[in-house]
Amino acid sequence: MNVFRILGDVSHLLAMILLLGKIWRSKCCTGISGKSQILFALVFTTRYLDLFTNFISIYNTVMKVVFLLCAYVTVYMIYGKFRKTFDSENDTFRVEFLLVPVIGLSFLENYSFTPLEILWTFSIYLESVAILPQLFMISKTGEAETITTHYLFFLGLYRALYLANWIRRYQTENFYDQIAVVSGVVQTIFYCDFFYLYVTKGRCWEKYCWHGPKESLIQSINI
């Protein structure tokens, strides 16, 4: 395991902890897309089914358990404990437009036609688009709390570090996972507009206003 993989995992975990901490401290879910969090919980659930059948390392097992717990606790806080503060009126992305093609693609493009492999492939494809409801929600409302932008930043950083991890593995191990790499590139593209705005404006504002370029990829989605 190289340093990019470890830093990527740390960045991913930090993003989830930041979001959980924000909800717990403020006792409020405003500005957070419950649909994105459900999709991420589904990603981890379908990806980590081998938790019970395939032991790789203590580190791997612990990280899987922590990610699953964080994902489900976040969903519970949004739809359970603090559901009265959840902004369902603006969390309107049609997730079926993501799930249907992802399910179809998982059956068409995978490494082996077995249940676990198809579900793993599904999780990879779904993760690449799971953030769209959150980005769509921000573009719809025109603002997000600073902590939410930090959460998105660390998620994007996690994906960028994983791309570096794959490049490093290809150089040192001649290992190349086409499904994971292509999906990771697609996911990174969705963060590009956000990264630009975060670096140039977001860090200096208590409220993050989404005034991106007119050709912004997320703003062009009309769902």
Side-chain angles (χ1 to χ4, degrees), residues 5-17 20 37 40-45 47-48 51 59-75 127 155 158 162:
R5 168 71 182 274
I6 295 174
L7 290 176
D9 288 343
V10 170
S11 180
H12 196 179
L13 182 60
L14 182 57
M16 300 178 76
I17 291 174
L20 276 173
Q37 297 309 311
F40 280 123
L42 186 57
V43 165
F44 296 134
T45 301
R47 182 175 302 170
Y48 298 150
L51 185 63
Y59 171 84
N60 182 271
T61 299
V62 169
M63 292 301 283
K64 287 178 178 179
V65 171
V66 170
F67 284 150
L68 282 167
L69 287 175
C70 287
Y72 277 99
V73 170
T74 301
V75 170
E127 186 182 18
L155 273 187
Y158 140 71
Y162 256 62

Short mmCIF file of all heavy atoms in Angstrom, two decimals, residues 5-17 20 37 40-45 47-48 51 59-75 127 155 158 162:
data_model
loop_
_atom_site.label_atom_id
_atom_site.label_comp_id
_atom_site.label_asym_id
_atom_site.label_seq_id
_atom_site.Cartn_x
_atom_site.Cartn_y
_atom_site.Cartn_z
N ARG A 5 -2.58 5.98 -1.32
CA ARG A 5 -3.74 5.22 -0.86
C ARG A 5 -4.07 5.58 0.59
O ARG A 5 -5.24 5.79 0.94
CB ARG A 5 -3.45 3.72 -0.98
CG ARG A 5 -4.45 2.81 -0.27
CD ARG A 5 -5.79 2.78 -0.97
NE ARG A 5 -6.74 1.94 -0.24
CZ ARG A 5 -6.85 0.62 -0.40
NH1 ARG A 5 -6.05 -0.02 -1.25
NH2 ARG A 5 -7.74 -0.06 0.30
N ILE A 6 -3.05 5.64 1.43
CA ILE A 6 -3.27 5.96 2.85
C ILE A 6 -3.82 7.37 3.00
O ILE A 6 -4.79 7.61 3.73
CB ILE A 6 -1.96 5.79 3.65
CG1 ILE A 6 -1.53 4.32 3.64
CG2 ILE A 6 -2.15 6.29 5.08
CD1 ILE A 6 -0.18 4.07 4.28
N LEU A 7 -3.20 8.33 2.31
CA LEU A 7 -3.67 9.71 2.38
C LEU A 7 -5.09 9.85 1.82
O LEU A 7 -5.90 10.62 2.33
CB LEU A 7 -2.72 10.64 1.61
CG LEU A 7 -1.34 10.85 2.23
CD1 LEU A 7 -0.47 11.69 1.32
CD2 LEU A 7 -1.47 11.49 3.61
N GLY A 8 -5.39 9.07 0.78
CA GLY A 8 -6.73 9.08 0.22
C GLY A 8 -7.75 8.58 1.23
O GLY A 8 -8.83 9.17 1.39
N ASP A 9 -7.42 7.49 1.92
CA ASP A 9 -8.33 6.95 2.94
C ASP A 9 -8.52 7.94 4.08
O ASP A 9 -9.64 8.12 4.58
CB ASP A 9 -7.77 5.63 3.49
CG ASP A 9 -7.87 4.49 2.50
OD1 ASP A 9 -8.65 4.61 1.53
OD2 ASP A 9 -7.17 3.48 2.68
N VAL A 10 -7.43 8.59 4.50
CA VAL A 10 -7.52 9.58 5.57
C VAL A 10 -8.39 10.75 5.15
O VAL A 10 -9.23 11.23 5.93
CB VAL A 10 -6.11 10.06 5.98
CG1 VAL A 10 -6.21 11.26 6.92
CG2 VAL A 10 -5.32 8.94 6.63
N SER A 11 -8.21 11.22 3.92
CA SER A 11 -9.02 12.32 3.41
C SER A 11 -10.49 11.95 3.35
O SER A 11 -11.37 12.74 3.72
CB SER A 11 -8.52 12.73 2.02
OG SER A 11 -9.27 13.80 1.51
N HIS A 12 -10.77 10.73 2.90
CA HIS A 12 -12.15 10.24 2.82
C HIS A 12 -12.77 10.18 4.21
O HIS A 12 -13.91 10.63 4.42
CB HIS A 12 -12.15 8.86 2.18
CG HIS A 12 -13.48 8.42 1.69
ND1 HIS A 12 -13.70 7.22 1.06
CD2 HIS A 12 -14.71 9.02 1.76
CE1 HIS A 12 -14.98 7.10 0.75
NE2 HIS A 12 -15.60 8.18 1.17
N LEU A 13 -12.03 9.62 5.15
CA LEU A 13 -12.53 9.51 6.52
C LEU A 13 -12.73 10.87 7.15
O LEU A 13 -13.74 11.12 7.84
CB LEU A 13 -11.54 8.69 7.36
CG LEU A 13 -11.93 8.44 8.82
CD1 LEU A 13 -13.25 7.70 8.90
CD2 LEU A 13 -10.83 7.65 9.53
N LEU A 14 -11.81 11.79 6.90
CA LEU A 14 -11.92 13.14 7.44
C LEU A 14 -13.17 13.83 6.91
O LEU A 14 -13.87 14.55 7.65
CB LEU A 14 -10.68 13.96 7.10
CG LEU A 14 -10.61 15.39 7.65
CD1 LEU A 14 -10.75 15.39 9.16
CD2 LEU A 14 -9.30 16.06 7.22
N ALA A 15 -13.48 13.64 5.63
CA ALA A 15 -14.68 14.22 5.04
C ALA A 15 -15.93 13.74 5.78
O ALA A 15 -16.81 14.54 6.12
CB ALA A 15 -14.77 13.87 3.56
N MET A 16 -16.00 12.45 6.04
CA MET A 16 -17.17 11.89 6.71
C MET A 16 -17.27 12.37 8.16
O MET A 16 -18.36 12.66 8.66
CB MET A 16 -17.10 10.36 6.66
CG MET A 16 -17.08 9.81 5.24
SD MET A 16 -16.95 8.00 5.17
CE MET A 16 -18.63 7.55 5.60
N ILE A 17 -16.12 12.47 8.83
CA ILE A 17 -16.12 12.94 10.22
C ILE A 17 -16.52 14.41 10.29
O ILE A 17 -17.26 14.83 11.19
CB ILE A 17 -14.73 12.72 10.85
CG1 ILE A 17 -14.47 11.22 11.03
CG2 ILE A 17 -14.62 13.45 12.19
CD1 ILE A 17 -13.07 10.89 11.51
N LEU A 20 -20.32 14.50 9.89
CA LEU A 20 -20.97 14.02 11.11
C LEU A 20 -20.83 15.03 12.25
O LEU A 20 -21.79 15.28 12.99
CB LEU A 20 -20.36 12.69 11.54
CG LEU A 20 -20.91 11.43 10.87
CD1 LEU A 20 -20.08 10.22 11.26
CD2 LEU A 20 -22.36 11.21 11.25
N GLN A 37 -26.22 10.97 0.72
CA GLN A 37 -25.76 10.13 1.83
C GLN A 37 -26.33 8.72 1.75
O GLN A 37 -25.65 7.75 2.09
CB GLN A 37 -26.13 10.79 3.17
CG GLN A 37 -25.45 12.13 3.40
CD GLN A 37 -23.94 12.06 3.18
OE1 GLN A 37 -23.27 11.16 3.71
NE2 GLN A 37 -23.39 13.00 2.42
N PHE A 40 -24.23 6.97 -0.86
CA PHE A 40 -22.92 6.59 -0.34
C PHE A 40 -23.04 5.37 0.58
O PHE A 40 -22.17 4.49 0.58
CB PHE A 40 -22.26 7.75 0.39
CG PHE A 40 -21.60 8.75 -0.52
CD1 PHE A 40 -21.95 10.09 -0.48
CD2 PHE A 40 -20.62 8.34 -1.42
CE1 PHE A 40 -21.35 11.01 -1.33
CE2 PHE A 40 -20.01 9.26 -2.27
CZ PHE A 40 -20.38 10.59 -2.22
N ALA A 41 -24.09 5.33 1.39
CA ALA A 41 -24.32 4.16 2.25
C ALA A 41 -24.51 2.91 1.39
O ALA A 41 -24.02 1.83 1.73
CB ALA A 41 -25.52 4.39 3.15
N LEU A 42 -25.22 3.06 0.29
CA LEU A 42 -25.43 1.94 -0.64
C LEU A 42 -24.11 1.53 -1.29
O LEU A 42 -23.85 0.33 -1.50
CB LEU A 42 -26.45 2.35 -1.70
CG LEU A 42 -26.91 1.27 -2.69
CD1 LEU A 42 -27.50 0.08 -1.94
CD2 LEU A 42 -27.93 1.85 -3.66
N VAL A 43 -23.27 2.51 -1.58
CA VAL A 43 -21.95 2.23 -2.16
C VAL A 43 -21.14 1.34 -1.22
O VAL A 43 -20.60 0.30 -1.61
CB VAL A 43 -21.17 3.54 -2.43
CG1 VAL A 43 -19.69 3.25 -2.68
CG2 VAL A 43 -21.76 4.27 -3.63
N PHE A 44 -21.04 1.74 0.05
CA PHE A 44 -20.24 0.99 1.01
C PHE A 44 -20.84 -0.39 1.29
O PHE A 44 -20.12 -1.37 1.45
CB PHE A 44 -20.10 1.77 2.32
CG PHE A 44 -19.35 3.06 2.17
CD1 PHE A 44 -19.83 4.23 2.73
CD2 PHE A 44 -18.17 3.12 1.45
CE1 PHE A 44 -19.15 5.43 2.59
CE2 PHE A 44 -17.48 4.31 1.29
CZ PHE A 44 -17.97 5.47 1.87
N THR A 45 -22.16 -0.46 1.33
CA THR A 45 -22.82 -1.73 1.62
C THR A 45 -22.52 -2.76 0.53
O THR A 45 -22.17 -3.91 0.82
CB THR A 45 -24.34 -1.54 1.74
OG1 THR A 45 -24.62 -0.60 2.78
CG2 THR A 45 -25.03 -2.86 2.05
N ARG A 47 -20.11 -2.67 -1.68
CA ARG A 47 -18.68 -2.87 -1.90
C ARG A 47 -18.04 -3.75 -0.85
O ARG A 47 -17.11 -4.51 -1.13
CB ARG A 47 -17.95 -1.52 -1.95
CG ARG A 47 -16.45 -1.64 -2.23
CD ARG A 47 -15.82 -0.29 -2.39
NE ARG A 47 -16.45 0.46 -3.46
CZ ARG A 47 -16.22 1.75 -3.71
NH1 ARG A 47 -15.37 2.42 -2.95
NH2 ARG A 47 -16.83 2.36 -4.69
N TYR A 48 -18.54 -3.64 0.38
CA TYR A 48 -17.88 -4.32 1.49
C TYR A 48 -18.58 -5.60 1.93
O TYR A 48 -18.44 -6.03 3.07
CB TYR A 48 -17.76 -3.36 2.67
CG TYR A 48 -16.91 -2.14 2.38
CD1 TYR A 48 -17.16 -0.92 3.02
CD2 TYR A 48 -15.88 -2.19 1.46
CE1 TYR A 48 -16.38 0.19 2.75
CE2 TYR A 48 -15.11 -1.08 1.17
CZ TYR A 48 -15.36 0.11 1.82
OH TYR A 48 -14.60 1.22 1.55
N LEU A 51 -16.50 -8.28 3.46
CA LEU A 51 -16.02 -8.10 4.83
C LEU A 51 -16.13 -9.41 5.62
O LEU A 51 -15.33 -9.67 6.52
CB LEU A 51 -16.84 -7.00 5.51
CG LEU A 51 -16.43 -6.55 6.91
CD1 LEU A 51 -15.04 -5.94 6.89
CD2 LEU A 51 -17.44 -5.54 7.45
N TYR A 59 -6.02 -3.28 8.94
CA TYR A 59 -6.29 -1.91 8.46
C TYR A 59 -7.48 -1.90 7.52
O TYR A 59 -8.40 -1.08 7.66
CB TYR A 59 -5.05 -1.38 7.73
CG TYR A 59 -5.27 -0.07 7.00
CD1 TYR A 59 -5.17 1.15 7.67
CD2 TYR A 59 -5.59 -0.05 5.64
CE1 TYR A 59 -5.38 2.35 7.01
CE2 TYR A 59 -5.79 1.14 4.97
CZ TYR A 59 -5.70 2.34 5.66
OH TYR A 59 -5.91 3.52 5.01
N ASN A 60 -7.50 -2.81 6.55
CA ASN A 60 -8.57 -2.88 5.57
C ASN A 60 -9.91 -3.14 6.24
O ASN A 60 -10.92 -2.49 5.93
CB ASN A 60 -8.25 -3.98 4.56
CG ASN A 60 -9.29 -4.09 3.46
OD1 ASN A 60 -10.27 -4.81 3.60
ND2 ASN A 60 -9.06 -3.40 2.36
N THR A 61 -9.94 -4.08 7.18
CA THR A 61 -11.18 -4.43 7.87
C THR A 61 -11.70 -3.28 8.72
O THR A 61 -12.90 -2.94 8.69
CB THR A 61 -10.97 -5.67 8.76
OG1 THR A 61 -10.59 -6.77 7.94
CG2 THR A 61 -12.24 -6.02 9.51
N VAL A 62 -10.80 -2.65 9.46
CA VAL A 62 -11.20 -1.53 10.33
C VAL A 62 -11.76 -0.37 9.50
O VAL A 62 -12.80 0.21 9.85
CB VAL A 62 -10.00 -1.05 11.18
CG1 VAL A 62 -10.34 0.27 11.88
CG2 VAL A 62 -9.64 -2.11 12.22
N MET A 63 -11.10 -0.04 8.40
CA MET A 63 -11.56 1.07 7.57
C MET A 63 -12.93 0.77 6.97
O MET A 63 -13.80 1.64 6.89
CB MET A 63 -10.55 1.36 6.46
CG MET A 63 -9.23 1.92 6.95
SD MET A 63 -9.39 3.48 7.87
CE MET A 63 -9.63 4.64 6.53
N LYS A 64 -13.15 -0.47 6.55
CA LYS A 64 -14.45 -0.84 6.00
C LYS A 64 -15.55 -0.66 7.04
O LYS A 64 -16.62 -0.10 6.75
CB LYS A 64 -14.43 -2.28 5.50
CG LYS A 64 -13.65 -2.50 4.22
CD LYS A 64 -13.64 -3.97 3.83
CE LYS A 64 -12.90 -4.20 2.53
NZ LYS A 64 -12.86 -5.63 2.14
N VAL A 65 -15.30 -1.14 8.25
CA VAL A 65 -16.30 -1.04 9.32
C VAL A 65 -16.57 0.42 9.66
O VAL A 65 -17.73 0.83 9.84
CB VAL A 65 -15.83 -1.81 10.58
CG1 VAL A 65 -16.75 -1.53 11.76
CG2 VAL A 65 -15.77 -3.30 10.29
N VAL A 66 -15.51 1.22 9.75
CA VAL A 66 -15.67 2.64 10.10
C VAL A 66 -16.46 3.37 9.02
O VAL A 66 -17.36 4.16 9.33
CB VAL A 66 -14.29 3.30 10.29
CG1 VAL A 66 -14.43 4.82 10.41
CG2 VAL A 66 -13.61 2.75 11.54
N PHE A 67 -16.16 3.13 7.75
CA PHE A 67 -16.89 3.78 6.67
C PHE A 67 -18.37 3.40 6.69
O PHE A 67 -19.24 4.25 6.50
CB PHE A 67 -16.29 3.41 5.31
CG PHE A 67 -15.01 4.13 5.00
CD1 PHE A 67 -14.04 3.53 4.21
CD2 PHE A 67 -14.75 5.39 5.51
CE1 PHE A 67 -12.85 4.19 3.91
CE2 PHE A 67 -13.57 6.06 5.22
CZ PHE A 67 -12.61 5.45 4.42
N LEU A 68 -18.65 2.13 6.93
CA LEU A 68 -20.04 1.68 7.00
C LEU A 68 -20.77 2.35 8.16
O LEU A 68 -21.91 2.84 7.99
CB LEU A 68 -20.10 0.16 7.16
CG LEU A 68 -19.86 -0.67 5.89
CD1 LEU A 68 -19.62 -2.13 6.24
CD2 LEU A 68 -21.06 -0.55 4.94
N LEU A 69 -20.15 2.39 9.32
CA LEU A 69 -20.77 3.01 10.49
C LEU A 69 -21.02 4.50 10.25
O LEU A 69 -22.11 5.01 10.55
CB LEU A 69 -19.88 2.82 11.72
CG LEU A 69 -19.85 1.40 12.31
CD1 LEU A 69 -18.84 1.34 13.45
CD2 LEU A 69 -21.24 1.00 12.82
N CYS A 70 -20.02 5.20 9.74
CA CYS A 70 -20.18 6.63 9.48
C CYS A 70 -21.31 6.90 8.49
O CYS A 70 -22.11 7.82 8.67
CB CYS A 70 -18.87 7.22 8.95
SG CYS A 70 -17.56 7.39 10.17
N ALA A 71 -21.38 6.08 7.44
CA ALA A 71 -22.40 6.28 6.42
C ALA A 71 -23.80 6.09 6.99
O ALA A 71 -24.71 6.91 6.76
CB ALA A 71 -22.17 5.31 5.26
N TYR A 72 -23.99 5.03 7.77
CA TYR A 72 -25.32 4.74 8.29
C TYR A 72 -25.72 5.68 9.43
O TYR A 72 -26.89 6.04 9.57
CB TYR A 72 -25.42 3.29 8.72
CG TYR A 72 -25.71 2.37 7.56
CD1 TYR A 72 -24.68 1.66 6.94
CD2 TYR A 72 -26.99 2.26 7.04
CE1 TYR A 72 -24.92 0.85 5.85
CE2 TYR A 72 -27.25 1.44 5.95
CZ TYR A 72 -26.22 0.74 5.35
OH TYR A 72 -26.48 -0.05 4.27
N VAL A 73 -24.75 6.10 10.22
CA VAL A 73 -25.04 7.08 11.28
C VAL A 73 -25.46 8.41 10.65
O VAL A 73 -26.39 9.07 11.13
CB VAL A 73 -23.83 7.27 12.21
CG1 VAL A 73 -24.06 8.47 13.13
CG2 VAL A 73 -23.60 6.01 13.04
N THR A 74 -24.78 8.80 9.57
CA THR A 74 -25.14 10.04 8.88
C THR A 74 -26.56 9.98 8.34
O THR A 74 -27.35 10.93 8.50
CB THR A 74 -24.16 10.31 7.72
OG1 THR A 74 -22.83 10.41 8.23
CG2 THR A 74 -24.52 11.62 7.01
N VAL A 75 -26.91 8.87 7.70
CA VAL A 75 -28.27 8.71 7.17
C VAL A 75 -29.29 8.75 8.30
O VAL A 75 -30.35 9.37 8.18
CB VAL A 75 -28.39 7.38 6.39
CG1 VAL A 75 -29.86 7.10 6.04
CG2 VAL A 75 -27.55 7.45 5.12
N GLU A 127 -20.49 5.20 -6.92
CA GLU A 127 -19.70 6.19 -6.20
C GLU A 127 -19.31 7.36 -7.10
O GLU A 127 -19.20 8.50 -6.64
CB GLU A 127 -18.44 5.56 -5.61
CG GLU A 127 -17.67 6.54 -4.73
CD GLU A 127 -16.40 5.96 -4.16
OE1 GLU A 127 -15.91 4.93 -4.69
OE2 GLU A 127 -15.87 6.54 -3.19
N LEU A 155 -13.62 15.14 0.03
CA LEU A 155 -14.08 14.04 -0.82
C LEU A 155 -13.37 14.11 -2.18
O LEU A 155 -12.95 13.08 -2.73
CB LEU A 155 -15.60 14.12 -1.03
CG LEU A 155 -16.49 13.44 0.00
CD1 LEU A 155 -17.94 13.48 -0.47
CD2 LEU A 155 -16.07 12.00 0.26
N TYR A 158 -9.77 13.08 -1.76
CA TYR A 158 -9.69 11.62 -1.66
C TYR A 158 -9.65 10.99 -3.05
O TYR A 158 -8.84 10.11 -3.32
CB TYR A 158 -10.88 11.10 -0.85
CG TYR A 158 -11.52 9.83 -1.35
CD1 TYR A 158 -10.86 8.60 -1.26
CD2 TYR A 158 -12.80 9.85 -1.91
CE1 TYR A 158 -11.46 7.43 -1.72
CE2 TYR A 158 -13.39 8.69 -2.38
CZ TYR A 158 -12.72 7.49 -2.27
OH TYR A 158 -13.31 6.34 -2.74
N TYR A 162 -6.55 8.98 -4.91
CA TYR A 162 -6.71 7.61 -5.41
C TYR A 162 -6.27 7.50 -6.87
O TYR A 162 -5.76 6.46 -7.29
CB TYR A 162 -8.16 7.14 -5.22
CG TYR A 162 -8.31 6.19 -4.06
CD1 TYR A 162 -8.01 6.60 -2.77
CD2 TYR A 162 -8.72 4.88 -4.25
CE1 TYR A 162 -8.13 5.74 -1.69
CE2 TYR A 162 -8.84 4.00 -3.18
CZ TYR A 162 -8.55 4.44 -1.90
OH TYR A 162 -8.66 3.57 -0.84
#
